[in-house]
Amino acid sequence: MKAIVVTDQTAGTAGLKLVKRPEPQPAINDVIVQVHASGFVPTELEWPSTWTDRLDRDRTPSIPGHELAGVVTALGYGTTGLSVGQRVFGLTDWYRDGTLAEYVAMEARDLAPLPGDVDFTLGASLPISGLTAWQGLFLHGRLQAGQSVLVHGAAGAVGSMVTQLARDAGGYVIGTGRAADRQTALDFGAKEFVDLDNDALKDVGGIDLVFDGIGGDIGKRSAGLVRAGGTLVSVVGPAEIRPADGRAVDFVVEFDRAQLSEIAQRFRDGRLRTNIGKVSTLDEAVDALNPTERRKGKTIIRVHP
């Protein structure tokens, strides 16, 4: 099969290569999925799990990509709950070969049925962005209607999902980003926008929930914006500075079939919309994942038409 692999940790996305690999075989409780569309998060090339296994042994050349939508083609011994020919979408284990390939082997528990009226491209764009937003807002952030939410990077793949879900839950959303991102953030439901290059972030205070997907200096400055009893949620590692009178939570997204199905239903209802930037084929993936200019939204790789 065709697959994208990485072998050089220092090369970043420039180290992506299209090669031929053996088709995977299903282990116990696995399924084989014919990948129709795959999502890719560039930061995963910085994750230890891309390069080593759980015992810290080198596992390169590894296949990156963890989001997918496709069709089940085979079941491993003992696999239940899914059937051959079923449309599915989900999130592969971080330590296993991923979804930038024609086929992937993964545990059945990491997949959810993909409704027939949801396109594969859309389905592949949802797992990481949607589940990160959902878990950050509701599981870790404990968002309640009427609360204020500050979303860093509100025009991005995750930030736009956070913005929409927070707005849909009755939150008052303030988005941040570069000046060029203002209209996109407002279109996704932010009531206000802070230009991080030109506006004073410190003027935004008394926030119930700060969702930080940027970190660094922005993360440090965010702690002082959280009101007493509020929460700073980070998806880029532990907060270096914690709110004086609030909570600080960092987490790594986990697959949850019920949550992902709920997110998909909101798209079907028209309550959410996706933030897909470029759509490319697997043959064009290396170039597509090495853009020469900044792109908005998530890049999706269409593998099987």
Side-chain angles (χ1 to χ4, degrees):
M1 69 173 183
K2 294 179 182 178
I4 301 292
V5 300
V6 289
T7 57
D8 183 355
Q9 191 167 0
T10 64
T13 55
L16 296 169
K17 295 179 181 179
L18 180 65
V19 301
K20 288 282 191 178
R21 288 284 294 269
E23 290 188 13
Q25 300 300 310
I28 295 173
N29 296 323
D30 272 358
V31 298
I32 301 298
V33 180
Q34 183 187 53
V35 181
H36 282 245
S38 168
F40 173 72
V41 180
T43 55
E44 72 179 69
L45 297 184
E46 303 169 11
W47 304 345
S49 57
T50 299
W51 308 101
T52 61
D53 63 16
R54 285 183 168 86
L55 297 177
D56 202 32
R57 298 173 301 196
D58 178 80
R59 69 178 195 88
T60 59
S62 58
I63 301 173
H66 292 283
E67 300 171 284
L68 86 159
V71 175
V72 175
T73 60
L75 304 177
Y77 179 81
T79 299
T80 59
L82 295 173
S83 58
V84 172
Q86 187 170 7
R87 302 171 87 249
V88 291
F89 67 142
L91 190 61
T92 67
D93 186 276
W94 309 126
Y95 289 90
R96 297 184 65 165
D97 277 340
T99 60
L100 289 178
E102 293 183 295
Y103 295 90
V104 63
M106 58 188 296
E107 291 187 81
R109 64 179 181 177
D110 292 332
L111 289 162
L114 181 67
D117 57 353
V118 177
D119 179 77
F120 287 118
T121 301
L122 172 61
S125 74
L126 294 180
I128 288 181
S129 298
L131 291 172
T132 298
W134 186 281
Q135 291 166 19
L137 287 173
F138 306 124
L139 181 63
H140 302 291
R142 304 173 187 171
L143 177 65
Q144 301 294 320
Q147 290 185 325
S148 56
V149 184
L150 181 69
V151 183
H152 288 315
V158 174
S160 60
M161 192 73 70
V162 176
T163 297
Q164 293 178 87
L165 286 173
R167 176 208 61 198
D168 191 60
Y172 183 91
V173 180
I174 303 169
T176 80
R178 298 179 179 178
D181 297 330
R182 179 184 300 272
Q183 193 56 52
T184 300
L186 296 175
D187 290 345
F188 275 113
K191 294 294 186 182
E192 300 179 36
F193 183 82
V194 178
D195 175 356
L196 293 174
D197 293 324
N198 300 296
D199 297 335
L201 186 59
K202 62 181 177 59
D203 291 343
V204 182
I207 300 296
D208 293 298
L209 173 58
V210 175
F211 195 107
D212 180 23
I214 297 178
D217 180 62
I218 297 300
K220 293 177 184 177
R221 291 156 58 190
S222 295
L225 308 177
V226 178
R227 69 159 182 82
T231 305
L232 170 60
V233 173
S234 170
V235 294
V236 290
E240 294 185 56
I241 300 177
R242 304 171 66 88
D245 298 305
R247 300 166 57 239
V249 181
D250 69 280
F251 74 100
V252 175
V253 63
E254 297 180 353
F255 183 77
D256 187 289
R257 182 176 292 174
Q259 292 172 5
L260 188 58
S261 296
E262 177 65 26
I263 292 164
Q265 184 59 48
R266 291 178 186 223
F267 273 89
R268 299 172 74 196
D269 293 343
R271 296 162 65 186
L272 294 175
R273 57 191 177 91
T274 191
N275 187 7
I276 296 173
K278 182 176 178 61
V279 179
S280 175
T281 66
L282 188 61
D283 288 336
E284 303 164 337
V286 172
D287 289 337
L289 298 173
N290 283 278
T292 56
E293 58 187 25
R294 182 172 178 253
R295 291 182 184 153
K296 296 180 181 178
K298 177 173 291 187
T299 297
I300 298 295
I301 305 302
R302 290 282 300 195
V303 182
H304 285 94

